[in-house]
PDB file of all heavy atoms in Angstrom:
ATOM      1  N   MET A 228      -7.879  51.851  11.371  1.00 98.00           N
ATOM      2  CA  MET A 228      -7.400  52.045  10.007  1.00 98.00           C
ATOM      3  C   MET A 228      -5.898  51.786  10.023  1.00 98.00           C
ATOM      4  O   MET A 228      -5.146  52.531  10.672  1.00 98.00           O
ATOM      5  CB  MET A 228      -7.690  53.458   9.488  1.00 98.00           C
ATOM      6  CG  MET A 228      -7.119  53.720   8.098  1.00 98.00           C
ATOM      7  SD  MET A 228      -7.266  55.459   7.576  1.00 98.00           S
ATOM      8  CE  MET A 228      -8.944  55.473   6.973  1.00 98.00           C
ATOM      9  N   ILE A 229      -5.452  50.734   9.331  1.00 98.00           N
ATOM     10  CA  ILE A 229      -4.054  50.326   9.381  1.00 98.00           C
ATOM     11  C   ILE A 229      -3.453  50.308   7.982  1.00 98.00           C
ATOM     12  O   ILE A 229      -3.980  49.649   7.069  1.00 98.00           O
ATOM     13  CB  ILE A 229      -3.921  48.936  10.043  1.00 98.00           C
ATOM     14  CG1 ILE A 229      -4.450  48.986  11.482  1.00 98.00           C
ATOM     15  CG2 ILE A 229      -2.469  48.466  10.016  1.00 98.00           C
ATOM     16  CD1 ILE A 229      -4.453  47.650  12.193  1.00 98.00           C
ATOM     17  N   GLU A 230      -2.355  51.032   7.804  1.00 98.00           N
ATOM     18  CA  GLU A 230      -1.704  51.096   6.495  1.00 98.00           C
ATOM     19  C   GLU A 230      -0.991  49.768   6.210  1.00 98.00           C
ATOM     20  O   GLU A 230      -0.197  49.283   7.022  1.00 98.00           O
ATOM     21  CB  GLU A 230      -0.720  52.261   6.453  1.00 98.00           C
ATOM     22  CG  GLU A 230      -1.427  53.613   6.493  1.00 98.00           C
ATOM     23  CD  GLU A 230      -0.488  54.787   6.252  1.00 98.00           C
ATOM     24  OE1 GLU A 230       0.750  54.599   6.316  1.00 98.00           O
ATOM     25  OE2 GLU A 230      -0.990  55.898   5.994  1.00 98.00           O
ATOM     26  N   THR A 231      -1.292  49.202   5.042  1.00 98.00           N
ATOM     27  CA  THR A 231      -0.828  47.860   4.692  1.00 98.00           C
ATOM     28  C   THR A 231      -0.304  47.851   3.264  1.00 98.00           C
ATOM     29  O   THR A 231      -0.952  48.384   2.355  1.00 98.00           O
ATOM     30  CB  THR A 231      -1.988  46.852   4.830  1.00 98.00           C
ATOM     31  OG1 THR A 231      -2.608  47.014   6.111  1.00 98.00           O
ATOM     32  CG2 THR A 231      -1.515  45.429   4.666  1.00 98.00           C
ATOM     33  N   HIS A 232       0.853  47.246   3.069  1.00 98.00           N
ATOM     34  CA  HIS A 232       1.534  47.269   1.773  1.00 98.00           C
ATOM     35  C   HIS A 232       2.122  45.890   1.501  1.00 98.00           C
ATOM     36  O   HIS A 232       2.597  45.226   2.429  1.00 98.00           O
ATOM     37  CB  HIS A 232       2.641  48.330   1.810  1.00 98.00           C
ATOM     38  CG  HIS A 232       3.216  48.715   0.486  1.00 98.00           C
ATOM     39  ND1 HIS A 232       4.011  47.869  -0.257  1.00 98.00           N
ATOM     40  CD2 HIS A 232       3.128  49.874  -0.232  1.00 98.00           C
ATOM     41  CE1 HIS A 232       4.397  48.486  -1.369  1.00 98.00           C
ATOM     42  NE2 HIS A 232       3.864  49.704  -1.382  1.00 98.00           N
ATOM     43  N   ARG A 233       2.121  45.473   0.268  1.00 98.00           N
ATOM     44  CA  ARG A 233       2.673  44.139  -0.056  1.00 98.00           C
ATOM     45  C   ARG A 233       4.183  44.079   0.206  1.00 98.00           C
ATOM     46  O   ARG A 233       4.734  43.027   0.484  1.00 98.00           O
ATOM     47  CB  ARG A 233       2.389  43.782  -1.513  1.00 98.00           C
ATOM     48  CG  ARG A 233       3.081  44.707  -2.509  1.00 98.00           C
ATOM     49  CD  ARG A 233       2.892  44.241  -3.928  1.00 98.00           C
ATOM     50  NE  ARG A 233       3.642  45.104  -4.854  1.00 98.00           N
ATOM     51  CZ  ARG A 233       3.717  44.878  -6.161  1.00 98.00           C
ATOM     52  NH1 ARG A 233       3.093  43.854  -6.696  1.00 98.00           N
ATOM     53  NH2 ARG A 233       4.428  45.695  -6.921  1.00 98.00           N
ATOM     54  N   ASP A 234       4.864  45.224   0.123  1.00 98.00           N
ATOM     55  CA  ASP A 234       6.313  45.300   0.335  1.00 98.00           C
ATOM     56  C   ASP A 234       6.625  46.599   1.084  1.00 98.00           C
ATOM     57  O   ASP A 234       7.155  47.554   0.517  1.00 98.00           O
ATOM     58  CB  ASP A 234       7.033  45.267  -1.016  1.00 98.00           C
ATOM     59  CG  ASP A 234       8.549  45.266  -0.878  1.00 98.00           C
ATOM     60  OD1 ASP A 234       9.041  45.050   0.247  1.00 98.00           O
ATOM     61  OD2 ASP A 234       9.248  45.504  -1.893  1.00 98.00           O
ATOM     62  N   PRO A 235       6.312  46.645   2.383  1.00 97.00           N
ATOM     63  CA  PRO A 235       6.408  47.900   3.148  1.00 97.00           C
ATOM     64  C   PRO A 235       7.768  48.575   3.086  1.00 97.00           C
ATOM     65  O   PRO A 235       7.841  49.810   3.007  1.00 97.00           O
ATOM     66  CB  PRO A 235       6.074  47.463   4.580  1.00 97.00           C
ATOM     67  CG  PRO A 235       5.285  46.210   4.427  1.00 97.00           C
ATOM     68  CD  PRO A 235       5.838  45.531   3.217  1.00 97.00           C
ATOM     69  N   ASP A 236       8.833  47.802   3.122  1.00 97.00           N
ATOM     70  CA  ASP A 236      10.172  48.405   3.152  1.00 97.00           C
ATOM     71  C   ASP A 236      10.469  49.239   1.915  1.00 97.00           C
ATOM     72  O   ASP A 236      11.306  50.147   1.955  1.00 97.00           O
ATOM     73  CB  ASP A 236      11.238  47.319   3.298  1.00 97.00           C
ATOM     74  CG  ASP A 236      11.248  46.709   4.692  1.00 97.00           C
ATOM     75  OD1 ASP A 236      10.829  47.409   5.632  1.00 97.00           O
ATOM     76  OD2 ASP A 236      11.648  45.548   4.829  1.00 97.00           O
ATOM     77  N   ASN A 237       9.802  48.928   0.817  1.00 96.00           N
ATOM     78  CA  ASN A 237      10.036  49.654  -0.432  1.00 96.00           C
ATOM     79  C   ASN A 237       8.865  50.549  -0.822  1.00 96.00           C
ATOM     80  O   ASN A 237       8.755  50.953  -1.987  1.00 96.00           O
ATOM     81  CB  ASN A 237      10.347  48.669  -1.559  1.00 96.00           C
ATOM     82  CG  ASN A 237      11.689  47.979  -1.355  1.00 96.00           C
ATOM     83  OD1 ASN A 237      12.719  48.636  -1.259  1.00 96.00           O
ATOM     84  ND2 ASN A 237      11.669  46.656  -1.251  1.00 96.00           N
ATOM     85  N   ALA A 238       7.999  50.861   0.149  1.00 95.00           N
ATOM     86  CA  ALA A 238       6.870  51.758  -0.122  1.00 95.00           C
ATOM     87  C   ALA A 238       7.372  53.158  -0.448  1.00 95.00           C
ATOM     88  O   ALA A 238       8.407  53.591   0.060  1.00 95.00           O
ATOM     89  CB  ALA A 238       5.938  51.793   1.083  1.00 95.00           C
ATOM     90  N   TRP A 239       6.640  53.871  -1.271  1.00 94.00           N
ATOM     91  CA  TRP A 239       7.047  55.214  -1.706  1.00 94.00           C
ATOM     92  C   TRP A 239       6.767  56.275  -0.658  1.00 94.00           C
ATOM     93  O   TRP A 239       7.240  57.400  -0.766  1.00 94.00           O
ATOM     94  CB  TRP A 239       6.334  55.569  -3.008  1.00 94.00           C
ATOM     95  CG  TRP A 239       6.749  54.727  -4.177  1.00 94.00           C
ATOM     96  CD1 TRP A 239       7.620  53.679  -4.169  1.00 94.00           C
ATOM     97  CD2 TRP A 239       6.310  54.861  -5.538  1.00 94.00           C
ATOM     98  NE1 TRP A 239       7.747  53.137  -5.426  1.00 94.00           N
ATOM     99  CE2 TRP A 239       6.950  53.853  -6.294  1.00 94.00           C
ATOM    100  CE3 TRP A 239       5.430  55.720  -6.193  1.00 94.00           C
ATOM    101  CZ2 TRP A 239       6.751  53.687  -7.658  1.00 94.00           C
ATOM    102  CZ3 TRP A 239       5.214  55.567  -7.551  1.00 94.00           C
ATOM    103  CH2 TRP A 239       5.874  54.568  -8.286  1.00 94.00           C
ATOM    104  N   SER A 240       5.960  55.949   0.341  1.00 92.00           N
ATOM    105  CA  SER A 240       5.646  56.902   1.414  1.00 92.00           C
ATOM    106  C   SER A 240       5.378  56.136   2.698  1.00 92.00           C
ATOM    107  O   SER A 240       4.805  55.053   2.682  1.00 92.00           O
ATOM    108  CB  SER A 240       4.444  57.778   1.043  1.00 92.00           C
ATOM    109  OG  SER A 240       3.301  56.977   0.773  1.00 92.00           O
ATOM    110  N   ASP A 241       5.819  56.712   3.811  1.00 93.00           N
ATOM    111  CA  ASP A 241       5.573  56.155   5.146  1.00 93.00           C
ATOM    112  C   ASP A 241       5.892  54.658   5.246  1.00 93.00           C
ATOM    113  O   ASP A 241       5.100  53.872   5.792  1.00 93.00           O
ATOM    114  CB  ASP A 241       4.117  56.408   5.566  1.00 93.00           C
ATOM    115  CG  ASP A 241       3.859  57.868   5.881  1.00 93.00           C
ATOM    116  OD1 ASP A 241       4.833  58.630   6.036  1.00 93.00           O
ATOM    117  OD2 ASP A 241       2.676  58.261   5.968  1.00 93.00           O
ATOM    118  N   ALA A 242       7.038  54.272   4.743  1.00 95.00           N
ATOM    119  CA  ALA A 242       7.414  52.857   4.722  1.00 95.00           C
ATOM    120  C   ALA A 242       7.462  52.243   6.121  1.00 95.00           C
ATOM    121  O   ALA A 242       7.028  51.103   6.331  1.00 95.00           O
ATOM    122  CB  ALA A 242       8.756  52.688   4.027  1.00 95.00           C
ATOM    123  N   SER A 243       7.986  52.987   7.095  1.00 97.00           N
ATOM    124  CA  SER A 243       8.221  52.416   8.426  1.00 97.00           C
ATOM    125  C   SER A 243       6.947  52.090   9.193  1.00 97.00           C
ATOM    126  O   SER A 243       6.979  51.296  10.146  1.00 97.00           O
ATOM    127  CB  SER A 243       9.090  53.358   9.261  1.00 97.00           C
ATOM    128  OG  SER A 243       8.423  54.595   9.467  1.00 97.00           O
ATOM    129  N   GLN A 244       5.815  52.673   8.801  1.00 97.00           N
ATOM    130  CA  GLN A 244       4.583  52.457   9.560  1.00 97.00           C
ATOM    131  C   GLN A 244       3.589  51.547   8.838  1.00 97.00           C
ATOM    132  O   GLN A 244       2.460  51.389   9.285  1.00 97.00           O
ATOM    133  CB  GLN A 244       3.919  53.787   9.897  1.00 97.00           C
ATOM    134  CG  GLN A 244       3.386  54.557   8.701  1.00 97.00           C
ATOM    135  CD  GLN A 244       2.894  55.945   9.073  1.00 97.00           C
ATOM    136  OE1 GLN A 244       3.529  56.644   9.857  1.00 97.00           O
ATOM    137  NE2 GLN A 244       1.754  56.351   8.540  1.00 97.00           N
ATOM    138  N   GLN A 245       4.006  50.940   7.734  1.00 98.00           N
ATOM    139  CA  GLN A 245       3.129  50.023   7.018  1.00 98.00           C
ATOM    140  C   GLN A 245       3.503  48.575   7.331  1.00 98.00           C
ATOM    141  O   GLN A 245       4.664  48.273   7.610  1.00 98.00           O
ATOM    142  CB  GLN A 245       3.198  50.277   5.514  1.00 98.00           C
ATOM    143  CG  GLN A 245       2.736  51.676   5.128  1.00 98.00           C
ATOM    144  CD  GLN A 245       2.524  51.841   3.644  1.00 98.00           C
ATOM    145  OE1 GLN A 245       1.619  51.264   3.057  1.00 98.00           O
ATOM    146  NE2 GLN A 245       3.371  52.645   3.020  1.00 98.00           N
ATOM    147  N   VAL A 246       2.505  47.697   7.270  1.00 98.00           N
ATOM    148  CA  VAL A 246       2.720  46.280   7.540  1.00 98.00           C
ATOM    149  C   VAL A 246       2.297  45.463   6.322  1.00 98.00           C
ATOM    150  O   VAL A 246       1.563  45.951   5.454  1.00 98.00           O
ATOM    151  CB  VAL A 246       1.924  45.801   8.773  1.00 98.00           C
ATOM    152  CG1 VAL A 246       2.401  46.504  10.026  1.00 98.00           C
ATOM    153  CG2 VAL A 246       0.418  46.018   8.578  1.00 98.00           C
TER     154      VAL A 246
END
Side-chain angles (χ1 to χ4, degrees):
M228 176 188 277
I229 299 176
E230 292 188 346
T231 310
H232 194 290
R233 64 174 184 176
D234 183 13
D236 288 334
N237 292 302
W239 293 3
S240 58
D241 289 346
S243 63
Q244 67 187 42
Q245 298 192 68
V246 296

